[in-house]
Amino acid sequence: MPLVFNFRFPLSLPLYATQPTMIGVWLLALMVLSNGLSSNGESMHNSTRPEFVNIGALFSFNTTVGRTVKIAIEAAVKDVNSDPNILGGTKLRLSLQEDSKYRGFLSIAEVLQVMARHTVAIIGPHSSVTAHVITHIANELQVPLLSFSALDPTLSSLQFPFFIRTCHSDLYEMAAIADLVDYYGWKDVIAVYIDDDNGRNGISALGDKLAEKRCRISYKAPLSPEATTEEITNQLVQVALAESRIIVVHANTMKGLKVFSVAKNLGMMGTGYVWIATAFLSALLDVNGPSYAMDEIQGVLTFRIYTPDSELKRRFITKWKNLTSANAANANVPLGMNFLVLYAYDTVYALAHALNAFFKQGNQITFSNDSRLSLVGGDNLNLDALNIFNEGYLLRRNIYQVNMTGVSGSFKYTPDRDLVNPTYEIVNVAGTGTRKIGYWSNYSGLSLGPPEALYKKLLLPVIWPGDTDQKPRGWVFPNNGRLLKIGVPKSVYYREFVSQVKGSDTFQGFCIDVFLSAVNLLPYAVPFKFIPYGDGKNNPSMTELVRLITTGEFDGAVGDIAITTERTKLVDFTQPYIESGLVVVAPVRKSDSSALAFLAPFTPKMWCVTAIFFILVGAVVWILEHRVNDEFRGPPKKQVVTILWFSFSTMFFSHRENTVSTLGRIVLIIWLFVVLIINSSYTASLTSILTVQQLSSPIKGIESLLNNKDPIGYTQGSFARNYLVQDIGIDEARLVPLKSTEEAATALRKGPQNGGVAAYIDERAYMDIFLSSRCDLSVVGQEFTRNGWGFAFPRDSPLAVDLSTAILQMTDNGDLQRIHDKWLLSSACLSQGAKLEVERLQLKSFWGLYVICSFACLLALFIYFIQVLRQYHKHYSGDTESTDQNSGSGSGSSRLKTFLSFVDEKEETVRNRSKRRKMERISYRSSEGASSINSNKGYASYRSESASEV
């Protein structure tokens, strides 16, 4: 008998229930189950701690991984129920419900059956697809979903408050893959994934993490959840035609191995490829054994969630062998232990600890009916079995507050509702098994050992596909028959660099030869064709040519393209193959020698300072030698002449006076060294001025142009215009575009007074050719930019990196110089021996020598005056004090006069006088002693005579 459904939409439905797609799914599921659901809720005890608590488990238990998860959950429930310290006597009552293998519609029916049993929490579901569907039901009935296998990062959003992930999100695994790609220096990856919620959102997270490393997903190959072998083959054929050889596979355990099997049949598991699989592959290998499907996955890298070693984990591993031995005997299939087993076991324990805290807070488990469900069901739908868990929010809060140590390690949540310390092992499939090559964690990055050991950031060698340990380059040119479109500018002049051969599509020139030679050095073929850019009448804009690469009109650009800041923001350049900065060219004329040409080597300031130092050094030497050297003594007039003669005679090392004091000799040696440097520099500069033909120009460089208002010429289409206006600040009205070399030469020769230009600015490489036949023009000043020419390619193009390596190789083996000499070695004016006027030697070139000389003079004078003061106090102070006492005066002026007269005296005279006075003092003291003895003898005879009289 056909069923007839009649239902109405209630006006009081919540906002989320008004979404059209969810309404259809909800109502259809409820109608299908209207006759199958019954109120099976157990009556709850009124006490705070009930005898039983109902929990559910929704998982695909019929799969190999599902069987291991079922064993782990049942073992955890048994262990919790046998330990009264965890729930205080309350038992967990587990309801197992099969998840229909990623089918969202049937999952709704299955989760409703579990929730109809008054469950307070559900462990599961298996897949992120199912979680996206049933989490809306969990939100409505306020029943927490605890999943350790639904790892879609978007399930952590605020949209799903009752979804609680008890394992690490795929967001961290994608961060680990991005770090691995960056570690090996790759830039582009290809993503092969199942096109469902889990696959799309995981690859989206991978794209974000790669972008943080300046990498990208260059091609996406989605597969339908029910993809056939033919569909997978078609997608992998497109992958093989792409450039990148770094392939990330993000699939489930059902489709992942099929991808590798098809890839092996297509020859895509050989040398040059890099395959990176997410954690699904490590889970399969752990469950089925290390030799599982080894032929299809040789060289693959995969990730496994890391669980640190502990006593709890070792005991559980021992227990696991006993738990799976019976299953292995019955099914003849060994069940290994993967990370899902450990997190399934800890999930039950975390829920038990949360329930214990829930009961300790005095909470009770109660359910209530939702009148809105009755309105939807009407008389035909029996929805009384679906009740709202009133304390769901409290239980959810206690779950997030769990802080325990389980078999998987530390089990604790961050404020972002993720488990702490996500860590992955990086596993390489090689030979007949797997081996760990390193680890990754969100706080230490890549490391050789476990993160807690703080190893260095490196990995062990990898055996890549093709049984090689040579790191793959990571990309190849796609073999799809498409040629790279290389734009080449059609310049009006300077055809030595780039020119199109008349009557053909080929190009020639220095830049073309460099590019072709570099391409020939690459270890792979590069199919390309040159496409001319420009009308051939006006110089094309190189910046516009570079911009067309970003729009896809060209795949690259080859020619005389300067590497500038503006252009590097658009594309990537290769290593510069020629240096070429901006220079100033101006008319020059021959300089005639003058009668005062001998003064030209030094600037006036240099002449003045040098003359002053000659006099000062002569005065210092005179002071140091005056008291000990007779040649520096005599009448004042003679002494002045001596100082001047000695000073200037040192210029020619012809001084006749000998120095005898140590300090004088030291000062003279240092000064003669300074004089030697000055003489050598003067001689070299004067020789250059008098022997080489000199050219002069009123323009001395870019500084001269800034200080006047004369017009300045530049090459039309050159970046020089923007640089002069924006960076240097030259008025745009002064700039005159020049279209050809002849026009530039004519404008320079006319000069600014006759409608021409004062100077012409362009790149040095151009100017070398421009000036080769124009000897009346010359470069003035220095290069005021440092640029080079390079080949342009799109952002992050691996071709730019490989061509840079080829250009460096050409520099080392001399090929680049040979190409340069072939096209650019023609300079007719270089043999004339003419050069621009030599700049005068300035004081700044010699100030260091003068500072050293000044310091030596000051130090010698200081030491000299200390010595004179000591001699003065030793030989002259006693006489001065006696004189002052006799005269009754001790004024400072008399002391100063005495000191100056002492300094003016010859040192030998002072010493002789001191010796003479010392002898006089000794004889005087001897005569006084004799008279004192005679007086004492007379006094003694007088005493004796008096005594006799008495």
Side-chain angles (χ1 to χ4, degrees), residues 485-505:
K485 296 179 293 183
I486 304 298
V488 181
K490 293 179 65 176
S491 301
V492 176
Y493 50 95
Y494 302 128
R495 301 178 64 84
E496 293 87 349
F497 294 107
V498 177
S499 64
Q500 186 173 10
V501 179
K502 292 184 178 181
S504 69
D505 295 332

Side-chain angles (χ1 to χ4, degrees), residues 780-949:
V780 294
Q782 303 294 324
E783 294 184 19
F784 55 94
T785 64
R786 294 291 180 182
N787 300 102
W789 292 355
F791 306 129
F793 293 95
R795 279 284 190 185
D796 300 321
S797 171
L799 190 58
V801 178
D802 289 351
L803 280 177
S804 295
T805 304
I807 291 172
L808 292 175
Q809 185 177 347
M810 292 172 60
T811 304
D812 294 338
N813 60 25
D815 288 345
L816 192 59
Q817 185 62 43
R818 283 189 286 271
I819 297 174
H820 178 276
D821 295 343
K822 171 186 175 182
W823 290 98
L824 308 179
L825 194 62
S826 58
S827 302
C829 290
L830 295 181
S831 61
Q832 296 181 4
K835 67 175 183 178
L836 287 176
E837 186 177 3
V838 178
E839 292 187 3
R840 291 183 170 187
L841 298 175
Q842 300 181 8
L843 179 61
K844 63 182 180 181
S845 302
F846 301 94
W847 71 269
L849 290 174
Y850 287 130
V851 168
I852 295 173
C853 185
S854 301
F855 178 75
C857 292
L858 292 175
L859 182 61
L861 288 176
F862 178 75
I863 296 173
Y864 171 75
F865 282 115
I866 293 296
Q867 292 176 350
V868 170
L869 287 174
R870 289 182 61 190
Q871 292 177 4
Y872 175 74
H873 285 290
K874 180 179 180 181
H875 301 293
Y876 218 81
S877 59
D879 297 337
T880 303
E881 291 175 0
S882 62
T883 303
D884 293 341
Q885 291 174 1
N886 293 333
S887 64
S889 173
S891 63
S893 60
S894 61
R895 289 184 179 180
L896 179 60
K897 291 177 180 179
T898 304
F899 177 74
L900 292 178
S901 62
F902 172 78
V903 172
D904 187 58
E905 287 183 312
K906 193 174 181 181
E907 186 175 331
E908 185 179 357
T909 303
V910 174
R911 289 178 180 173
N912 292 335
R913 185 172 64 248
S914 296
K915 289 180 181 180
R916 186 174 61 252
R917 289 178 178 177
K918 184 176 182 181
M919 295 301 295
E920 290 176 355
R921 290 192 190 99
I922 293 174
S923 71
Y924 175 75
R925 289 174 182 172
S926 298
S927 62
E928 284 184 348
S931 61
S932 175
I933 292 172
N934 292 334
S935 63
N936 288 337
K937 287 182 179 180
Y939 178 73
S941 63
Y942 170 76
R943 293 276 308 263
S944 64
E945 291 176 357
S946 299
S948 64
E949 290 178 358

